[in-house]
Amino acid sequence: MARVAIVTGGTRGIGEAIGVALRDAGYKVAATYAGRDEAAQSFSRSTGIPVFKFDVGDFAACKAGVQRITKEVGPVDVLVNNAGITRDSTLHKMTYEHWDDVIRTNLSSCFNMCHAVIDGMRDRNFGRIVNIGSINGQAGQYGQVNYAAAKSGMHGFTKALAQEGAAKGITVNAIAPGYIDTDMVRAVPPNVLEKIVARIPVGRLGKPEEIARGVLFLVADEAAFITGSTLSINGGQHMY
Ligand code: NDP
């Protein structure tokens, strides 16, 4: 039987590439999104992957969303916590709302979504959870205390839940992407982006498909001994 995978924020960017790669590998995929209906519908039409709209920062909405996916697609074997946002500014200019939005969407979402799938995974003695962190959660970044804190929190969350899941066949890993060519990075001013690319040893931005490659590796049934790990996919940008 095909395994069922949820990809949060699965309708654009890195999430889109992850969903397509999982579908091509034989998984039954459900993609979630926040509000851009047109992008989501066009993604669904072109890929055949069903889409589900709910806010990953909302605990009750995640419970209800996972229940709907379970009913319509099947019991969830694989969860990829990919949905994320940035609201950049230096701390002295950062509003509380921008702090809170980023923590809710990037970090609380991991708790909300994992909480909604974990009992089923425990009952079936199988689960694969992959959290999409960031190089900026590992290294910090000017103008991103909210984002760096959330992503760094995801890495700690990953290691803690990996210990809880280990005896139940549930692996929990993180991927820390470097700079990837998506809408999120296209929003960076061109002069700043140029400086960023100059620091990437491979000499270019990464492609969403190059993150999807890592997800496929980590969610495989054969990856049962890999848990609590962070896979850095960053074109060699391990130090600034
Ligand atoms: P995009 O901005 O291209 O896509 C974000 C996706 O997340 C969309 O599908 C969006 O839905 C969804 N989303 C946003 N907020 C919510 C929410 N509250 N509830 C549900 N879904 C939501 O992002 P990327 O593909 O660039 O990034 C994906 C992940 O990778 C993020 O976690 C990001 O932090 C991380 N990352 C990205 C890097 C990069 O260079 N791009 C580098 C390192 C990490 P909608 O379309 O409806 O808005």
Side-chain angles (χ1 to χ4, degrees):
M1 266 250 289
R3 294 213 178 272
V4 171
I6 297 182
V7 183
T8 69
T11 55
R12 292 192 288 122
I14 294 172
E16 172 173 7
I18 294 171
V20 168
L22 287 168
R23 180 205 64 186
D24 291 349
Y27 291 78
K28 280 169 77 178
V29 179
T32 83
Y33 71 105
R36 297 197 196 189
D37 296 313
E38 213 166 288
Q41 292 310 327
S42 133
F43 162 83
S44 189
R45 269 194 307 275
S46 66
T47 60
I49 294 172
V51 292
F52 298 83
K53 176 175 164 178
F54 58 89
D55 177 6
V56 290
D58 178 332
F59 182 76
C62 289
K63 283 271 177 222
V66 168
Q67 268 172 15
R68 223 185 114 201
I69 291 169
T70 304
K71 210 167 146 209
E72 292 179 26
V73 186
V76 182
D77 303 301
V78 174
L79 168 64
V80 184
N81 284 312
N82 166 77
I85 57 167
T86 50
R87 297 286 182 268
D88 296 352
S89 67
T90 49
L91 179 129
H92 68 284
K93 290 185 188 155
M94 189 176 286
T95 61
Y96 179 76
E97 284 67 33
H98 282 181
W99 165 262
D100 195 45
D101 283 351
V102 168
I103 298 295
R104 279 181 74 253
T105 308
N106 296 274
L107 181 58
S108 299
S109 57
C110 289
F111 175 79
N112 298 342
M113 288 301 295
C114 288
H115 202 273
V117 301
I118 203 82
D119 284 343
M121 289 181 175
R122 287 170 58 86
D123 288 347
R124 294 186 301 280
N125 281 300
F126 181 89
R128 296 282 182 268
I129 297 173
V130 178
N131 298 320
I132 306 298
S134 170
I135 189 171
N136 293 349
Q138 297 171 306
Q141 179 60 281
Y142 184 95
Q144 285 197 326
V145 291
N146 50 2
Y147 186 79
K151 292 300 190 183
S152 167
M154 284 175 84
H155 294 300
F157 179 101
T158 298
K159 289 188 195 141
L161 188 59
Q163 293 184 28
E164 295 181 17
K168 288 281 182 188
I170 303 167
T171 68
V172 190
N173 292 289
I175 291 182
Y179 288 84
I180 310 300
D181 190 8
T182 69
D183 293 343
M184 188 181 269
V185 162
R186 279 177 221 128
V188 174
N191 58 324
V192 177
L193 198 55
E194 216 169 273
K195 287 185 191 138
I196 289 173
V197 172
R199 291 201 303 257
I200 303 173
V202 166
R204 61 168 174 84
L205 295 174
K207 299 177 198 153
E209 294 74 19
E210 291 172 318
I211 303 303
R213 186 84 191 94
V215 173
L216 270 189
F217 173 72
L218 292 172
V219 302
D221 282 26
E222 296 78 7
F225 204 59
I226 307 173
T227 194
S229 294
T230 296
L231 179 58
S232 297
I233 306 181
N234 58 22
Q237 194 184 0
H238 291 282
M239 287 177 292
Y240 285 19

